């Protein structure tokens, strides 16, 4: 899925007391077509073997002594060409760089393709000894990843005197899924609390990602084939602009026995009610509702993997605009990083 792929690294160096000022040195590591060497040591950990800084520039960052420390801020895979670089480093303080905008039109549905790469950033103190600079920076993604698993589906459900069974197809191919209000724009290091880039009903920074499908696992378990992605977003206490999943599951009305049980044919298959066909039922699944005592914060955080698991034990709504809300059976949320060693050796000029 290219979630750990590194295409480019923009490396900015600062004195330890000067991170609020423009960078003293910038070096861009291009990894396209083998332009630079980036050796893989272990999965998710990379080592750069390049001259990142001429020895004549080191005193501006590390001082004039043989040993010293500085700060390195790295932006990975930034797709635009508006980063400060070369001799023009105006606007390259860490705070300024973190506010650079990244926009991604997420791939979706039947035409889904893996992203070519993901924007990341990270900051670390690096140490100089002689002409060697060492340090490891952890890069964290600007986006979040969301995936849904249906852990179980009830064998039948009642609606008044009618009985329904799920019509999921052989492999769950009839199940549909949409993510509403996925954020497509963010600052590189945007926090969901940043009011300047949270949900705005008049903005075009949020889209719905439709057409997602499932594959069948053991029993009545179904897993989402392709993940959703979104940049951080926050929708406050009200429902307007809420980011959520809309699940569509077809249910078929069936014939029943005198005792109300499902009537089946000789092969044990439920017999559809004459003159009926499967009806779509709609379920709303919240994302990212994290409780803190009595305070509920409704948001999506960057670099989080939301793995949502639900059980379908009832009919949904037959009206798309009024879906039944299903709370998560469990929602483990993991944070992931990519480590980059920066660099092992700096060559003499």
């Amino acid at each position: 899925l290219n979630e750990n792929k590194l295409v480019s690294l923009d490396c900015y160096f600062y004195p330890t007391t000067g991170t609020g000022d423009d960078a003293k040195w910038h070096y861009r590591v291009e990894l396209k077509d083998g332009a630079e060497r980036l050796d893989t040591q272990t999965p998710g950990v990379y080592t750069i073997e390049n001259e990142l800084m001429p020895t004549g520039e080191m005193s501006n960052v590390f001082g004039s002594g043989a040993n010293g420390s500085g700060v390195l801020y790295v932006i990975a895979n930034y797709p635009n060409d508006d980063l400060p670089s070369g001799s023009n480093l105006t606007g390259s303080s860490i705070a300024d760089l973190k506010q650079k905008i990244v926009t991604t039109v997420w791939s979706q549905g039947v035409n889904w393709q893996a992203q070519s790469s993901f924007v990341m950033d990270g900051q670390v103190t690096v140490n100089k000894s002689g002409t060697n600079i060492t340090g490891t920076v952890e890069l964290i993604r600007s986006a979040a990843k969301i995936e849904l698993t249906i852990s179980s589906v009830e064998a039948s459900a009642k609606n008044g005197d009618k009985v329904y069974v799920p019509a999921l197809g052989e492999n769950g191919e009839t199940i549909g899924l949409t993510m509403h209000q996925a954020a497509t724009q963010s600052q590189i290091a945007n926090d969901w609390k940043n009011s300047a880039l949270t949900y705005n009903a008049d903005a075009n920074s949020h889209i719905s990602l439709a057409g997602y499908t499932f594959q069948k696992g053991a029993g009545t378990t179904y897993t989402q084939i392709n993940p959703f992605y979104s940049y951080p977003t926050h929708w406050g206490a009200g429902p307007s602009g809420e980011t959520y999943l809309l699940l569509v599951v077809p249910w078929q009305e069936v014939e029943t026995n005198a005792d109300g049980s499902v009537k089946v044919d000789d092969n044990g298959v439920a017999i559809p009610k004459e003159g009926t066909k499967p009806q779509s039922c709609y379920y709303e699944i919240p994302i990212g509702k994290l409780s803190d005592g009595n305070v509920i914060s409704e948001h999506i955080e960057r670099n989080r993997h939301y793995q949502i698991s639900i059980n379908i034990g009832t009919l949904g709504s037959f009206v798309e605009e009024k879906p039944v809300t299903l709370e998560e059976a469990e929602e483990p949320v993991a944070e992931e990083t990519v480590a980059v060693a920066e660099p092992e050796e700096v060559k003499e000029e």
Side-chain angles (χ1 to χ4, degrees), residues 6-12 14 26-29 72-79 83-84 92-94 96-100 102 118-123 137 139-140 142 188-189 342:
L6 296 179
V7 175
S8 65
L9 298 171
D10 282 279
C11 305
Y12 293 88
Y14 308 81
H26 165 259
Y27 185 82
R28 181 174 175 85
V29 181
L72 171 65
Y73 178 64
V74 179
I75 300 172
N77 306 331
Y78 187 70
L83 290 178
S92 65
S93 71
I94 293 177
D96 287 339
L97 293 173
K98 286 183 175 182
Q99 293 176 20
K100 288 291 185 179
V102 57
F118 290 81
V119 175
M120 315 177 205
D121 77 328
Q123 180 178 335
V137 59
L139 300 176
I140 61 173
S142 298
I188 289 174
E342 298 268 1

Side-chain angles (χ1 to χ4, degrees), residues 264-270:
V264 298
D265 59 22
D266 293 340
N267 296 316
V269 178

Side-chain angles (χ1 to χ4, degrees), residues 115-252:
Q115 298 297 129
S116 59
S117 63
F118 290 81
V119 175
M120 315 177 205
D121 77 328
Q123 180 178 335
V124 69
T125 297
V126 290
N127 299 308
K128 179 182 81 75
S129 177
T131 58
N132 292 333
I133 302 173
T134 57
T136 299
V137 59
E138 288 188 337
L139 300 176
I140 61 173
R141 299 168 196 83
S142 298
K145 178 180 179 179
I146 301 96
E147 292 181 296
L148 176 67
T149 297
I150 301 173
S151 299
S152 65
V153 182
E154 195 69 25
S156 63
K158 289 186 176 181
N159 182 22
D161 58 355
K162 298 178 180 179
V163 177
Y164 295 80
V165 298
L168 305 179
E170 185 176 348
N171 295 302
E173 63 270 14
T174 62
I175 305 173
L177 185 65
T178 297
M179 180 175 175
H180 284 268
Q181 305 299 347
T184 60
Q185 187 178 88
S186 176
Q187 294 174 336
I188 289 174
N190 186 30
D191 187 283
W192 63 269
K193 300 173 187 176
N194 182 353
S195 60
L197 278 172
T198 52
Y199 181 75
N200 181 336
D202 298 325
N204 295 318
S205 60
H206 290 67
I207 61 174
S208 291
L209 304 174
Y212 284 70
T213 54
F214 289 77
Q215 62 185 7
K216 191 176 186 302
T220 56
T221 298
Y222 298 87
T223 56
Q224 186 178 338
I225 295 175
N226 298 315
F228 293 112
Y229 297 102
S230 175
Y231 287 118
T233 186
H234 175 54
W235 50 92
S240 177
E242 178 177 357
T243 301
Y244 65 94
L245 302 182
L246 182 67
L247 179 68
V248 184
V249 177
W251 289 79
Q252 170 67 59

